[in-house]
Amino acid sequence: MIQNARMIIKRVGQSSRALFCASLLLALLIVSTLVTAKTDVVLVSDSSRTTAVLCVGSAPESILQKQGISVGPGDLVTAKSHAAGGLQKITIQRAFPVAVQAEGGETVVWTTASTVRSVLEAAGIPLGEEDVVAPARGELVEDGTVISISRVTYAEAQHTEEVPYGTQYEETSLLGPGRTQLQSEGQNGEKLVTTRTRLVDGTPEGEPQVVAEEITVEPVDEVVLKGKERAMVSTLRFGDVPIGDDGIPLSYSRVMKGAITTGYSVKPGQGTASGRKPVPGIVAVDPSKIPYGTRMYIVSSDGSFVYGYAVAGETGSAMKEGRVDFDLLYATYAQSCAHGKRALDVYFLD
């Protein structure tokens, strides 16, 4: 249509009246063309400056290019449309530089983010849960903000430590009241200790913290005998035969006063003639006179020493030859020596 108007003007030549009519016709044709093309007025907001732009159905990028408005790395461009579908407003949010210092280096990030956390997320810079960040993760950022990140890691180490042994006291009437005697020596154990050290950018901070302990060698307590009157030596117990306040069984079949007794011990793994387990309380007898399995209670006449409940379960030449009546089993050789040779009262319980 515009081309046809131009041809009309050329034909009429210098006629002023014709020229006026042709110009009016050309203007009407231009307006008609713009209306037909759905011309829009778009607001372009760039930082604090807003400009109205007349455009015909262009994309935001094309509009900005025609207006000579450049968009840099990190700039954020958003477009808002009319309800009818045409462009209404283009907003440009300009990126600003933020320096991120981490692992001994510095990176400049151009961003439109508002907080430290969002800047780092947008830049793809990961954070550990315990990493130290300054300013804090939720703080606002601006042009020139410097974000420093101190990486927090942990280093584990292991070492061995000695586990000191303890002392167990066993009361016995074998010794006088208040006296003590070492029955068995103690032995220290060993444990594996795991520690964890906090590292900030690879530098240890604070003392290592113990996070685990594992006993690799169990300690063995020393055992000390402690003298006490009427403390029983035997580990055996007969619930059906209680002992009275006078230190004598409440029921028994007979008593052998002043029996000659000695003490003995056994080596690890050694058994007995009767097949019973060798524990304090097993006594050696002449089985032709006292059958294996016979139950007894052995005590000094004044009640100060108590061997206690006993069972005939072993024999020996001294008993068969009549030189000794009973040989009493002890936990250690030292205790058996301490017993020596004693005259004791033997109560038969069966």
Side-chain angles (χ1 to χ4, degrees):
M1 294 178 66
I2 295 174
Q3 185 65 29
N4 291 336
R6 288 174 177 170
M7 291 176 64
I8 292 173
I9 294 171
K10 186 175 181 181
R11 288 174 184 174
V12 297
Q14 301 298 321
S15 173
S16 60
R17 183 181 181 87
L19 180 60
F20 173 78
C21 292
S23 299
L24 180 59
L25 177 60
L26 178 60
L28 292 173
L29 290 173
I30 292 173
V31 171
S32 176
T33 300
L34 293 175
V35 172
T36 303
K38 297 182 179 179
T39 303
D40 286 321
V41 176
V42 178
L43 297 178
V44 178
S45 178
D46 185 0
S47 298
S48 61
R49 178 183 177 186
T50 301
T51 305
V53 177
L54 188 64
C55 62
V56 180
S58 299
E61 295 80 3
S62 177
I63 294 173
L64 296 178
Q65 186 177 8
K66 289 179 180 180
Q67 296 298 315
I69 301 174
S70 61
V71 178
D75 291 345
L76 179 63
V77 178
T78 57
K80 181 179 180 182
S81 301
H82 290 290
L87 279 175
Q88 181 181 7
K89 186 177 182 180
I90 300 173
T91 302
I92 304 172
Q93 188 177 356
R94 294 296 180 178
F96 53 88
V98 173
V100 180
Q101 298 174 343
E103 287 104 28
E106 181 174 290
T107 302
V108 176
V109 178
W110 287 84
T111 182
T112 59
S114 58
T115 64
V116 171
R117 180 183 289 105
S118 56
V119 168
L120 298 178
E121 288 177 351
I125 300 175
L127 284 179
E129 290 186 5
E130 296 189 40
D131 287 345
V132 180
V133 184
R137 305 182 191 207
E139 293 292 320
L140 298 178
V141 295
E142 59 185 13
D143 187 354
T145 295
V146 177
I147 301 173
S148 66
I149 302 174
S150 296
R151 299 296 187 185
V152 175
T153 55
Y154 289 89
E156 289 192 353
Q158 291 183 323
H159 66 274
T160 58
E161 289 184 7
E162 189 176 76
V163 180
Y165 63 81
T167 301
Q168 292 185 14
Y169 290 92
E170 292 185 1
E171 295 180 334
T172 179
S173 55
L174 181 64
L175 302 177
R179 292 184 58 193
T180 59
Q181 182 183 83
L182 178 66
Q183 174 171 306
S184 60
E185 293 184 349
Q187 182 177 352
N188 290 328
E190 197 171 84
K191 64 181 177 180
L192 181 65
V193 180
T194 302
T195 60
R196 180 179 295 168
T197 302
R198 188 173 188 260
L199 306 177
V200 179
D201 287 335
T203 301
E205 184 180 83
E207 296 296 323
Q209 301 298 311
V210 175
V211 295
E213 293 184 344
E214 179 185 359
I215 301 295
T216 54
V217 178
E218 291 287 347
V220 178
D221 289 345
E222 69 174 5
V223 179
V224 176
L225 297 179
K226 185 176 181 180
K228 181 182 178 181
E229 285 191 351
R230 297 194 177 188
M232 194 178 300
V233 173
S234 171
T235 60
L236 302 180
R237 298 293 183 270
F238 303 150
D240 60 331
V241 184
I243 306 302
D245 294 337
D246 57 358
I248 298 175
L250 295 181
S251 63
Y252 56 91
S253 58
R254 63 188 179 95
V255 60
M256 183 177 179
K257 294 282 187 176
I260 303 302
T261 67
T262 55
Y264 77 104
S265 63
V266 298
K267 297 178 180 179
Q270 183 177 333
T272 63
S274 66
R276 293 177 180 270
K277 183 178 179 180
V279 296
I282 299 297
V283 300
V285 298
D286 179 354
S288 64
K289 298 177 180 178
I290 301 175
Y292 291 144
T294 299
R295 301 193 305 168
M296 297 162 278
Y297 189 81
I298 304 174
V299 62
S300 63
S301 59
D302 62 359
S304 61
F305 171 75
V306 179
Y307 184 77
Y309 295 104
V311 173
E314 185 59 285
T315 189
S317 58
M319 276 63 66
K320 291 181 178 180
E321 294 170 2
R323 291 183 285 110
V324 175
D325 296 315
F326 300 92
D327 202 4
L328 312 184
L329 181 58
Y330 282 88
T332 67
Y333 175 74
Q335 289 182 49
S336 68
C337 292
H339 179 92
K341 192 173 185 180
R342 302 188 185 205
L344 302 173
D345 296 342
V346 179
Y347 293 84
F348 291 88
L349 307 179
D350 297 320

